[in-house]
Amino acid sequence: MELVAPAGNLEKLHYAWEYGADAAYIGLKNFSLRVKADNFFTDEYKTISALKEHYAKQGKPKKLLCALNISFHNEDIKAFLAEADYFRLYPIDAFIIQDIGMVSVLRKHFPDTPINLSTQANCINYEAVRVYRDLGFKRVVLGREASLADIAEIKAHVPEMELECFVHGAMCIAYSGRCLISAYLTGRSANAGACTHSCRWDYSLAVEEKERPGEYFPVEEGDGYTALFSSKDLCMIDYLTDLKKAGADALKIEGRMKSLYYTALVTRAYRKRIDALFGKISPAEAEPFVKELYNTAHRAFGTGFYFSKDDANKTTRGESKSPYSMAGTIGKELGGNRYEFISMNKITTDMPLEYIGPDICAIEDCNYTLLDPETGATRDWVCHGHPCIIETNVPLRSGFIVRTKNRENSETTA
């Protein structure tokens, strides 16, 4: 099964691929349902092309999927066509769309690039899958309302169609993400990529009786239902065998707006569990990496609609926290146990650090030294924007993640 991970910017794309994704999906400015993600622009296609070539030479080919999943207005189509030559510069392996009108547009201007159907198209039955197959779609990202039984039946009726299923991340309270709450409350439409995640806010309810205007009877929320619209996060890490049996060809992680730390740890956990499922490593080898999944910021986990609607209908508080803060990443290897340290949060040398790699679960380090890169002098702190070198006897590699345990009352989460 292919593992598809989110990439909200160039750095996250690198970490998604490095930490185990077979494919990563990105958005291009103005045409993606995550306009608040950094998305991709200028000459980043050069770096992406070089990165893909690097992995291909290593015998680890990677796919780049491009989400064009907004509902296109006439002006959006015109804007897309105006930038089509620029989009051709990206090594895109498939477009992800929901708007049926874009089929002919892409067929004309990108005739050799496959088209995948977005989950926003609400495809959850085999007759619809047949229609999309006949239109030339290569893959369907099923609506999240499809159960395991639905997936198996679809695969049995249309075995030639690739089926991609969400396995992890935030769930939308509205049908297949077609939500109007944000547009109504803030004027920013989720269907145009500008969702304010209004469903995660706290709401108070009251009932007004028709003959008693102005008299409101409060509606209390019960235990476990402290938020009205905020759904649990999806987590299917323990049920990949069920998805395999049902016929899922690709497993998708949500979260282009999540942190680099989240992207790396979640991708790595599913990579290890998939590898164990297919006999590449033992389940015991995968387990420590799977446990690390719970050290990312998340809401209460559930299994969505896969087994029962009962779990999907449960709500939880909108906030999400992690026991760790991301301190930074390891850049260039400088030799002599020294490495470039790219700081993302303030740390002081009395704080234990933990290093994380694609195949390194977590190594604690209390005996490191921070150095000024210009003078070589030791320093007792570093924060974002300050160049720094870290010296340690722990063998590190470029691309490792550095984290710290959150201190009490810290508001920073990874």
Side-chain angles (χ1 to χ4, degrees):
M1 292 185 292
E2 184 176 282
L3 180 59
V4 183
N9 58 33
L10 184 58
E11 188 177 31
K12 292 176 188 177
L13 174 65
H14 187 188
Y15 275 82
W17 278 344
E18 185 67 16
Y19 280 69
D22 300 301
Y25 60 103
I26 68 171
L28 295 174
K29 284 290 185 184
N30 303 320
F31 302 103
S32 160
L33 282 181
R34 288 294 179 268
V35 295
K36 287 191 292 180
D38 293 341
N39 292 319
F40 292 76
F41 55 98
T42 64
D43 61 352
E44 291 181 332
Y45 62 87
K46 296 178 182 178
T47 304
I48 295 173
S49 297
L51 199 56
K52 279 195 74 177
E53 186 176 349
H54 165 75
Y55 284 110
K57 288 180 178 178
Q58 288 187 331
K60 301 176 181 177
K62 304 292 184 179
K63 290 182 182 179
L64 182 72
L65 310 178
C66 179
L68 299 175
N69 53 353
I70 65 168
S71 295
F72 279 75
H73 290 270
N74 292 326
E75 56 267 29
D76 296 321
I77 294 178
K78 295 172 187 175
F80 176 81
L81 292 175
E83 297 190 56
D85 287 341
Y86 168 69
F87 295 155
R88 288 192 189 93
L89 299 173
Y90 283 82
I92 295 169
D93 294 290
F95 288 108
I96 307 169
I97 66 170
Q98 64 152 316
D99 195 318
I100 205 70
M102 287 301 292
V103 173
S104 59
V105 173
L106 293 174
R107 281 282 172 262
K108 180 178 179 181
H109 295 275
F110 296 85
D112 299 321
T113 307
I115 302 175
N116 296 348
L117 185 71
S118 170
T119 189
Q120 293 288 122
N122 322 126
C123 186
I124 55 174
N125 68 75
Y126 55 80
E127 291 293 356
V129 171
R130 281 197 183 114
V131 171
Y132 288 114
R133 175 202 63 191
D134 295 342
L135 287 170
F137 283 80
K138 180 184 178 183
R139 174 181 294 184
V140 167
V141 185
L142 292 172
R144 301 191 202 189
E145 294 76 22
S147 67
L148 287 170
D150 292 331
I151 296 168
E153 192 169 5
I154 291 168
K155 195 66 177 179
H157 281 82
V158 199
E160 64 275 19
M161 177 64 83
E162 294 180 7
L163 301 180
E164 183 172 305
C165 306
F166 275 95
V167 291
H168 197 90
M171 295 279 284
C172 185
I173 200 68
Y175 190 82
S176 288
R178 292 178 172 272
C179 183
L180 300 177
I181 299 175
S182 178
Y184 181 78
L185 292 179
T186 69
R188 294 168 55 181
S189 173
N191 300 306
C195 183
T196 57
H197 301 283
S198 313
C199 58
R200 311 299 182 193
W201 302 348
D202 287 333
Y203 292 87
S204 298
L205 289 182
V207 176
E208 181 185 32
E209 203 275 323
K210 181 180 179 180
E211 300 298 327
R212 295 169 177 79
E215 295 183 26
Y216 296 98
F217 181 81
V219 178
E220 303 292 341
E221 296 175 339
D223 292 341
Y225 294 84
T226 54
L228 179 60
F229 303 119
S230 182
S231 59
K232 290 182 179 180
D233 281 359
L234 178 66
C235 180
M236 288 291 286
I237 192 76
D238 294 326
Y239 305 100
L240 302 193
T241 300
D242 298 278
L243 284 157
K244 179 176 179 289
K245 289 179 179 177
D249 298 289
L251 307 180
K252 189 168 192 173
I253 299 166
E254 180 275 339
R256 274 185 288 152
M257 290 173 59
K258 299 290 180 64
S259 69
L260 181 156
Y261 176 86
Y262 177 95
T263 299
L265 262 69
V266 174
T267 300
R268 186 181 69 169
Y270 279 87
R271 172 80 276 147
K272 298 301 182 183
R273 182 55 67 82
I274 291 171
D275 287 349
L277 179 61
F278 286 88
K280 295 182 179 180
I281 61 174
S282 70
E285 290 176 284
E287 195 56 30
F289 297 95
V290 172
K291 288 182 179 179
E292 281 290 325
L293 185 73
Y294 298 89
N295 285 326
T296 63
H298 65 274
R299 301 176 186 88
F301 283 139
T303 55
F305 292 86
Y306 284 116
F307 295 99
S308 168
K309 292 181 181 179
D310 291 340
D311 192 44
N313 290 336
K314 297 295 176 64
T315 56
T316 184
R317 286 197 64 83
E319 61 184 347
S320 58
K321 293 183 178 180
S322 166
Y324 290 93
S325 292
M326 184 171 172
T329 59
I330 299 299
K332 298 176 183 176
E333 301 174 34
L334 305 175
N337 296 331
R338 293 184 176 185
Y339 308 84
E340 179 187 18
F341 178 48
I342 304 169
S343 176
M344 295 182 180
N345 275 308
K346 183 176 180 179
I347 63 168
T348 55
T349 50
D350 63 332
M351 299 169 65
L353 301 180
E354 291 187 17
Y355 307 116
I356 295 168
D359 299 302
I360 302 296
C361 193
I363 302 176
E364 187 173 81
D365 186 7
C366 297
N367 298 306
Y368 59 91
T369 303
L370 300 178
L371 302 169
D372 186 288
E374 294 185 2
T375 66
T378 59
R379 53 189 310 169
D380 56 10
W381 65 273
V382 67
C383 66
H384 180 66
H386 290 255
C388 185
I389 292 172
I390 189 167
E391 184 177 72
T392 176
N393 289 324
V394 177
L396 303 180
R397 276 188 20 224
S398 176
F400 275 24
I401 291 171
V402 186
R403 72 183 182 188
T404 60
K405 274 272 191 180
N406 277 337
R407 291 173 170 173
E408 285 188 7
N409 301 320
S410 171
E411 295 181 357
T412 305
T413 58

